[in-house]
Amino acid sequence: MKLVSVIVLAYKSAKTIAQTLDSIKNQTYQNIELIITDDCSPDHTVEETQRWLADNEGALPKMRLVTTQQNTGIPGNINRALKYAQGAYVKLIAADDYMARDAVAEYVKFCEKNPKVIPIAKVHLFSDDNVGETVDFEAVENYCKRCYEFAAETDYKKQYRMLLKQNCIVAPSGSFYPIEIIQKLGGYDERYRWFEDYPMNLKIMHEGYRCGLIHRELIYYRISGGSITASQQMRLKKTEMRLFFRERMFYMMQAGMGWEAVKQLKYWVQIAFKR
């Protein structure tokens, strides 16, 4: 039974992290190395985590809490944990989501049967009490459906082109990788502070991997209330713009998507001059 490193990404997660950690402790697949990495939370996330670790000492073969004195963003938070990861596979999960009891077992079984295929599982959407009234669940569900259609595509070139055109992977549904490919790529790119999954998945597919669909809801994905401000939206757009100019445009050219690259170039030039 291969060791799996489950990395819990925590930030302001004091109210939810115990549920996430319980779902990992209760996995049917028990050869798990648990690494919780906190990105300088201003609340009591670290204290809640320390309390859980003390109460559940010995529940898993290896358990560790990694902290930092300054907030570095999602990629930096992951990379801190990766320094300690010794598993054959790495599973990332946010500290406000949780897993089905056999999630890790299903991911491992899929990977062992399908070398160089990254598993994409279905997700179960949920929200806290009253939050659902302010969340557009239909929009999120439609995005998830596009993700599943992408993952079900068996033609590598077609699937790669789909990902080059736009991000079509729901982060909680994937994020289970052979550690060797993450190490080969040098970990997560910390230039993209506000997202981690799209740059990594582009690089992994560029290396010849493709994605495959697990037809089961293995991850419970918490949808939070509240709207994204205009400044936050622009910050995310600027980050994606940098990804386009640094990497994605060249990947598109190599894949014979020159016209699509030109169309997107015009859009990102406009974004570059916005404030």
Side-chain angles (χ1 to χ4, degrees):
M1 183 179 285
K2 293 182 178 179
L3 181 67
V4 175
S5 299
V6 177
I7 296 176
V8 178
L9 306 175
Y11 182 67
K12 294 197 295 188
S13 310
K15 294 180 179 180
T16 60
I17 193 166
Q19 184 180 34
T20 304
L21 298 177
D22 282 341
S23 78
I24 298 166
K25 178 188 72 173
N26 295 327
Q27 288 294 299
T28 58
Y29 191 100
Q30 283 291 290
N31 196 19
I32 289 175
E33 170 189 53
L34 172 62
I35 305 173
I36 306 114
T37 179
D38 179 76
D39 200 15
C40 196
S41 292
D43 64 358
H44 300 294
T45 298
V46 170
E47 290 82 355
E48 288 296 321
T49 301
Q50 290 171 330
R51 184 179 299 111
W52 188 93
L53 288 171
D55 291 343
N56 292 275
E57 186 176 359
L60 293 169
K62 297 181 180 180
M63 299 193 293
R64 176 190 295 269
L65 170 62
V66 180
T67 61
T68 181
Q69 295 301 309
Q70 63 179 27
N71 181 272
T72 59
I74 302 173
N77 201 25
I78 297 172
N79 286 339
R80 278 192 298 278
L82 286 173
K83 293 177 182 178
Y84 301 98
Q86 297 179 341
Y89 296 105
V90 173
K91 169 61 186 165
L92 306 178
I93 185 167
D96 57 354
D97 299 333
Y98 63 98
M99 295 191 284
R101 276 181 51 81
D102 60 345
V104 173
E106 288 294 315
Y107 278 122
V108 172
K109 182 170 70 174
F110 180 94
C111 289
E112 294 293 294
K113 290 183 177 179
N114 302 278
K116 296 198 73 172
V117 182
I118 304 301
I120 304 292
K122 293 186 175 182
V123 299
H124 180 87
L125 305 178
F126 75 101
S127 67
D128 295 321
D129 293 342
N130 300 322
V131 170
E133 298 174 4
T134 63
V135 173
D136 187 353
F137 265 82
E138 184 177 357
V140 180
E141 287 171 348
N142 288 336
Y143 184 77
C144 289
K145 289 178 182 177
R146 292 195 295 273
C147 170
Y148 306 149
E149 290 171 1
F150 161 83
E153 176 56 59
T154 57
D155 184 285
Y156 166 77
K157 289 185 178 180
K158 185 174 180 180
Q159 190 182 66
Y160 183 39
R161 285 171 171 251
M162 291 169 70
L163 190 64
L164 282 172
K165 192 171 183 180
Q166 63 179 4
N167 187 16
C168 43
I169 300 178
V170 180
S173 66
S175 303
F176 191 97
Y177 308 107
I179 198 168
E180 61 183 4
I181 184 61
I182 303 296
Q183 292 172 336
K184 179 180 179 180
L185 295 171
Y188 283 74
D189 196 329
E190 297 185 25
R191 294 177 299 175
Y192 308 117
R193 177 183 174 91
W194 306 112
F195 57 61
E196 82 294 348
D197 55 320
Y198 194 25
M200 177 57 74
N201 288 324
L202 280 175
K203 289 178 179 178
I204 287 175
M205 287 205 72
H206 188 67
E207 289 290 322
Y209 286 71
R210 70 171 181 85
C211 296
L213 180 64
I214 297 177
H215 293 270
R216 281 193 55 207
E217 293 180 345
L218 297 182
I219 304 298
Y220 289 77
Y221 181 24
R222 189 187 306 269
I223 307 298
S224 301
S227 58
I228 299 176
T229 65
S231 62
Q232 289 173 324
Q233 288 178 333
M234 184 52 62
R235 184 176 64 192
L236 289 169
K237 284 290 183 184
K238 293 274 188 176
T239 302
E240 190 172 351
M241 174 199 71
R242 288 190 285 273
L243 174 64
F244 176 80
F245 284 116
R246 288 170 177 164
E247 297 170 74
R248 195 155 64 94
M249 180 173 65
F250 301 103
Y251 289 168
M252 285 175 140
M253 296 294 220
Q254 292 174 353
M257 299 173 65
W259 179 239
E260 178 64 31
V262 170
K263 287 194 296 182
Q264 292 204 15
L265 175 64
K266 295 177 180 178
Y267 171 77
W268 291 117
V269 167
Q270 292 176 338
I271 293 295
F273 290 99
K274 287 186 177 181
R275 293 185 177 181

